[in-house]
Amino acid sequence: MHANRGPRGISRREMLQTLALGGAAAALPGAFAGPAPARRLGVALVGLGGYSRDLLAPALQLTRHCRLAGIVTGSPHKIAEWQGSYGIPDANVYGYDDFHRIADNDDIDVVYVVTPNHLHMPQTLLAANAGKHVWCEKPMAMDAAEGEAMVKACRDNRVQLTIGYRMQHEPNTRRFMAMAEERPFGRIVKLRADAGWFGWRDGADDAWRLDPARGGGAMYDMGVYCVNAARYSTGLEPTAIRAWNETARRDVFGEVDETMRFELEFPGDIVAKCVTSFGRNLNTLQVDCERGWYALSPFQAYEGNAGRASDGTVFPAQLGERPRMQAEQMDQDALAILNGSPPRAPGEEGVRDMRVLDAAFASARADNGKVAIGG
C-alpha cells in the first residue's frame, strides 16, 4: 500500500477533493445519530418475499424512527416464522382478503407495499383508504394511469405516498443529484446508465418476473433504475424515447423482455443511452460534460456504490454494508411523515418514471420508432 493512501487506496488529495464536492457531509446520515426519538412509526410489510425477508425486515431492526409492527401476506405458511423472528402479535397479522381491517389498527402507521407490480395499485388504494401512509416499491405501478390513481387516493385521504427509490437516499447519488444543478464540469452532453444482472433465480418468489400480466421483465425490474438515474443526473424530464427489445432467451423469458436498450432525449440536446437486462451484469452511471465526466460503478447496488470524476475526485462508498441503505431510506421517509415534510421520492416521482416506461414499451412495439413522453 502506498504510504500516503488509506485502506481503500484513497489519497489525502483525493479525499480533500471529495470533501470539497460535499460527499463527506452526506456521509453521516442523520437518521443514525442523535438522541432516541419520542415516537417510532409502526410499519406493516405487505408481501413477504425475498426483499422483505432479506433486506427490509432486517433494516427495520436498525432504524430509529420506525419499526416492524405488522405483516400482510398471501402465504399463510410464512406467518409463524415471521412471528417467531420478530414478535409480531396476532392482531397485526393480515391476509390479502382482510387487509382492509388494518384501518382499525392504531399500532400501524405505514404500509410498505412489496408485492409484484400488478398489486401495487390495488394495495396502495386499500392502504390509503384505511388512512395509512404508503411506501411502495418501484416501479410504482403497471403504467402511469395507475400511478396517477395512487397519487390521487393518497392525496384524497391525506396520507403520504412515497416510492421506494432507495438510491435517492444514498449519499453519492444525492451528490450527483446536486451536481445536475451545479454543473461543475460545464454543460451535460450525454450520459449512460446501465442496470442488469445475469442469471435467473428459479423460485416461487420470482416466478412473477416472467409474467407480463404481473409486471415481469427487465424494463420494469431494472430499467426503472436507468430511467430514474437519467432524470436525477440531468435534473430534467425526457421528451422522447426509442427502445429496442433485444431478448435472446425466448425459451426462458417468453413474453417479457430479457434485455431492453433505449435512448432518452432531454432538453438541451442531451441524450441518455441505457441498457437493462436479466442476461447481463450491468451497473454503471456516467455523466459526460463539456469539461470532464463523473461516474458511479456500481450505481444501484445494495452496498458499495462508489465512483470517480475526470479530475481525480473520488466518491467512496459511504453507507456501509446492507441493509444500511434500506434503513436510511425508511428512516428518512419516516421523518418526512413525522415532520409533515415532503418525502424525497413522492408518488409524483414514480409517475414520471412510469410515463417513460409507457413510452418505452410503445416504442419497442412500434419497431423502435421515436415516441414522445407525455407530461
Side-chain angles (χ1 to χ4, degrees):
M1 182 181 293
H2 193 283
N4 293 324
R5 302 181 81 87
R8 290 184 179 271
I10 300 170
S11 69
R12 182 177 183 274
R13 179 181 68 85
E14 291 171 329
M15 183 57 74
L16 289 174
Q17 288 174 327
T18 299
L19 286 167
L21 281 178
L28 300 172
F32 300 118
R39 177 171 179 254
R40 300 171 73 196
L41 297 180
V43 178
L45 295 176
V46 184
L48 305 183
Y51 194 66
S52 287
R53 180 190 65 235
D54 299 336
L55 290 161
L56 294 180
L60 282 163
Q61 311 314 301
L62 304 176
T63 53
R64 300 186 68 255
H65 302 285
C66 49
R67 58 187 173 82
L68 178 57
I71 54 175
V72 183
T73 181
S75 303
H77 65 277
K78 296 181 180 181
I79 293 173
E81 181 180 354
W82 277 74
Q83 287 188 300
S85 296
Y86 298 108
I88 299 169
D90 290 342
N92 290 7
V93 175
Y94 299 89
Y96 292 161
D97 56 346
D98 66 346
F99 183 14
H100 61 282
R101 292 195 302 106
I102 208 166
D104 301 321
N105 193 332
D106 292 336
D107 196 35
I108 294 173
D109 304 285
V110 182
V111 165
Y112 196 150
V113 177
V114 202
T115 49
N117 302 334
H118 72 297
L119 296 176
H120 288 185
M121 182 187 72
Q123 291 174 340
T124 293
L125 298 188
L126 275 171
N129 289 332
K132 305 301 180 182
H133 300 286
V134 182
W135 299 342
C136 181
E137 260 310 302
K138 61 80 194 164
M140 73 179 298
M142 294 291 287
D143 53 41
E146 285 192 358
E148 289 167 354
M150 294 160 66
V151 169
K152 182 179 185 301
C154 290
R155 183 189 305 119
D156 290 348
N157 286 281
R158 299 185 179 182
V159 295
Q160 281 198 6
L161 172 60
T162 306
I163 309 305
Y165 285 123
R166 57 187 174 83
M167 298 316 305
Q168 293 202 23
H169 300 266
E170 190 275 325
N172 287 329
T173 302
R174 293 193 64 75
R175 185 66 206 132
F176 272 39
M177 295 170 76
M179 291 166 73
E181 182 176 349
E182 296 165 5
R183 305 289 173 97
F185 295 96
R187 183 177 65 86
I188 295 174
V189 177
K190 61 182 179 180
L191 66 88
R192 168 188 162 202
D194 299 336
W197 55 275
F198 179 76
W200 185 253
R201 297 167 294 189
D202 186 16
D205 282 348
D206 294 297
W208 66 270
R209 298 180 195 275
L210 298 178
D211 184 353
R214 293 188 281 175
M219 192 66 185
Y220 275 124
D221 192 53
M222 302 297 293
V224 71
Y225 285 115
C226 304
V227 172
N228 202 245
R231 291 180 48 246
Y232 64 61
S233 294
T234 60
L236 300 169
E237 297 301 327
T239 58
I241 190 172
R242 294 184 68 198
W244 297 261
N245 185 334
E246 298 182 344
T247 298
R249 294 178 289 173
R250 293 288 181 184
D251 58 323
V252 176
F253 292 95
E255 299 178 74
V256 302
D257 51 294
E258 174 189 16
T259 299
M260 190 85 80
R261 179 165 55 92
F262 57 98
E263 295 181 358
L264 288 166
E265 296 181 3
F266 288 87
D269 296 324
I270 301 170
V271 175
K273 295 189 176 183
C274 308
V275 179
T276 186
S277 181
F278 281 157
R280 298 165 60 186
N281 289 322
L282 304 167
N283 206 332
T284 298
L285 169 63
Q286 178 164 327
V287 182
D288 293 321
C289 309
E290 290 176 301
R291 299 190 298 274
W293 55 265
Y294 45 98
L296 291 174
S297 185
F299 85 96
Q300 45 82 15
Y302 291 144
E303 59 189 322
N305 298 280
R308 288 183 175 272
S310 56
D311 64 353
T313 298
V314 295
F315 303 92
Q318 300 185 51
L319 279 181
E321 296 181 355
R322 67 182 74 182
R324 278 290 179 182
M325 181 183 295
Q326 285 79 8
E328 172 71 1
Q329 168 198 333
M330 290 188 285
D331 260 341
Q332 292 298 333
D333 290 341
L335 281 171
I337 293 170
L338 290 167
N339 295 335
S341 57
R344 289 179 176 177
E348 290 83 356
E349 175 76 353
V351 171
R352 295 183 187 104
D353 280 349
M354 293 313 306
R355 290 175 183 144
V356 178
L357 264 64
D358 288 351
F361 290 130
S363 174
R365 290 192 300 267
D367 297 324
N368 326 122
K370 183 187 294 189
V371 174
I373 298 170

